[in-house]
Amino acid sequence: METTEPHVLRLPATVGPSDVPRLCAGLAALMDRVDPGRPLVCDAGGLARPTLAAVEALARLRLTALRRGRALTVRGAGAELRALLGLTGLAALLGPPGPDGGRDTESGPPGN
């Protein structure tokens, strides 16, 4: 059985509104240089204090991936980030609980 290691984009400890374009550009650059068959992962585990700017970043990163027909999985979403996603109507993005009991956020092209 072949294991495909994902390409990972890590969110910084703090995400402000001015960081969103840079993060999206970073994801676009990552997609330009990686094998399209390998999964893309955004690691949100390093967020010190999730904010609405972090939620906006995740939503825009998802759109960036979708525009290129790619799936994006967000791992390491803590309780506060999950709550913010729920309050903003994005709770449907939350995937099943991960092995550590936390939930991952998975988003991809429709039908995936």
Side-chain angles (χ1 to χ4, degrees):
M1 181 179 203
E2 186 177 317
T3 302
T4 304
E5 289 295 317
H7 290 287
V8 179
L9 174 73
R10 287 179 177 76
L11 291 182
T14 58
V15 175
S18 64
D19 296 317
V20 175
R22 179 185 51 80
L23 289 167
C24 290
L27 179 62
L30 179 66
M31 288 187 288
D32 285 342
R33 68 177 188 269
V34 300
D35 174 8
R38 288 180 67 181
L40 294 172
V41 173
C42 180
D43 186 350
L47 279 174
R49 185 167 180 255
T51 62
L52 289 176
V55 171
E56 178 187 1
L58 291 174
R60 289 185 183 255
L61 288 168
R62 176 180 182 250
L63 287 173
T64 299
L66 287 173
R67 286 182 181 130
R68 293 181 178 218
R70 298 289 301 268
L72 177 69
T73 301
V74 179
R75 71 178 178 204
E80 288 180 21
L81 180 57
R82 292 192 314 268
L84 279 175
L85 289 170
L87 288 171
T88 57
L90 297 173
L93 297 176
L94 293 172
D100 63 353
R103 294 173 70 94
D104 286 342
T105 305
E106 185 173 318
S107 56
N112 284 352

